Amino acid sequence: MKIFITGGAGYIGSATAEALIQAGHSVTVYDSLITGHRAAVPAGANFIHASLDDSHSLAEALLSQKFDAVMHFAAFIEAGESMKDPGKFFRNNFTNSLQLMETAVQAGVKKLVFSSTAAVYQSSEEPLTEESPIGPTNVYGHTKLMTEQALEWYRSIHGLHFAALRYFNACGALPGRGEAHQPESHLIPRVLQIALGQAESATIFGTDYPTPDGTCIRDYIHIADLVSAHILALGALESKDKMIYNIGSGNGFSVREVIDTARQITGHAIPTVESPRRPGDSARLVASPKRIMSELGWKPTHTNMQEILSSAWEWHTSHPNGYEK
């Protein structure tokens, strides 16, 4: 297949692009490089340096050849920032996604795989299923929900088949591929940077949540398992016109548990600073990924924190400056 990947210079998009190329598909990566890295784009991919808000470049790219599918990873992802600058997230995450849908339909594309998020749900003491109550607690999650809703209308009106994959916390690394956000705010790479001497301490935002140790609990899903879910969903769009799946391990780890495991893996103290809760943070987000497991045969294979952190630690020690030379 010929596949058009937005955000293919980012963490998950580039890993998926590489897997698709290895499987024999033709891949075009479209990325503004605002948060992505040119060095992350896999060899063998056609690269277009442009933004989704550039309607001329987007139309030219999608109409340049007959693409079989679009995989949409391009989004701003910092939930905390979305509560400080909501307009930035509405413009990039929703308005640009809408333009992508419209242009894809004009180009005759019939399949789209969308990078969504578990942040569309309300916080819950129970594992979250696809039928769990919807209720984003931050603008980031709301923009993803709006995009899912728009996709449903484009499916019913224009026949655009779609899969919305609701990620939980993407993490870990593959050989030569890992997280390299600037600045880094995700917990796992942040604590590993501290172990490398690149930061002084980890901030724990909120210690009074209704959880066993008072800190937020999250489901961490390894990038290898995320990639495999994308490949399966893309193939399933041949016969299905709509899929919404939770992509998580089904295991929850608190902030303190992640930091304690990082101390064991790295042998470093990793000092912490306790701060008040951040606006928009849910107490607990853990997946029930049973639907994709039963319907597509997907199964997460990297489910313990020691394995996740070990893979990330290997990436960070071999790439202390990320993709920068």
Side-chain angles (χ1 to χ4, degrees), residues 28 58 62 86 103 155 160 166 212 224 252 270 294 301:
T28 294
L58 180 61
L62 272 171
T103 309
R155 181 194 68 83
L160 179 63
R166 293 173 175 170
I270 307 181
S294 63
T301 57

Side-chain angles (χ1 to χ4, degrees), residues 30 59 85 94 157 159 163 171 218 224 248 250:
Y30 187 97
D85 190 358
F94 178 65
I157 295 170
C171 59
R218 295 291 183 267

Side-chain angles (χ1 to χ4, degrees), residues 73-240:
F73 297 92
F76 294 139
I77 61 174
E78 299 298 336
E81 184 188 7
S82 78
M83 300 297 285
K84 299 175 182 177
D85 190 358
K88 174 181 178 180
F89 281 72
F90 281 115
R91 287 188 296 271
N92 185 65
N93 291 10
F94 178 65
T95 304
N96 286 353
S97 294
L98 192 62
Q99 181 156 274
L100 175 64
M101 291 176 223
E102 189 70 20
T103 309
V105 166
Q106 293 170 3
V109 177
K110 295 297 184 183
K111 296 186 284 290
L112 190 150
V113 179
F114 174 52
S115 167
S116 191
T117 175
V120 301
Y121 295 114
Q122 296 178 20
S123 180
S124 173
E125 291 296 313
E126 300 298 324
L128 292 161
T129 71
E130 291 81 0
E131 288 76 33
S132 294
I134 296 296
T137 59
N138 52 62
V139 173
Y140 163 68
H142 191 71
T143 61
K144 292 289 190 173
L145 178 60
M146 291 171 65
T147 303
E148 285 191 19
Q149 292 168 336
L151 280 167
E152 172 57 23
W153 284 110
Y154 275 75
R155 181 194 68 83
S156 62
I157 295 170
H158 296 296
L160 179 63
H161 296 193
F162 76 92
L165 304 184
R166 293 173 175 170
Y167 306 172
F168 284 67
N169 282 40
C171 59
L174 294 168
R177 295 195 176 278
E179 291 191 76
H181 305 113
Q182 294 295 334
E184 187 58 73
S185 63
H186 288 182
L187 178 61
I188 288 177
R190 178 68 177 171
V191 297
L192 297 181
Q193 286 180 342
I194 296 163
L196 287 170
Q198 297 173 345
E200 293 184 359
S201 61
T203 302
I204 299 177
F205 293 100
T207 59
D208 59 346
Y209 284 97
T211 60
D213 65 18
T215 64
C216 291
I217 290 176
R218 295 291 183 267
D219 185 325
Y220 291 86
I221 178 71
H222 195 279
I223 187 173
D225 294 322
L226 275 174
V227 170
S228 67
H230 281 85
I231 303 299
L232 287 170
L234 178 64
L237 284 175
E238 293 289 343
S239 57
K240 295 177 180 287

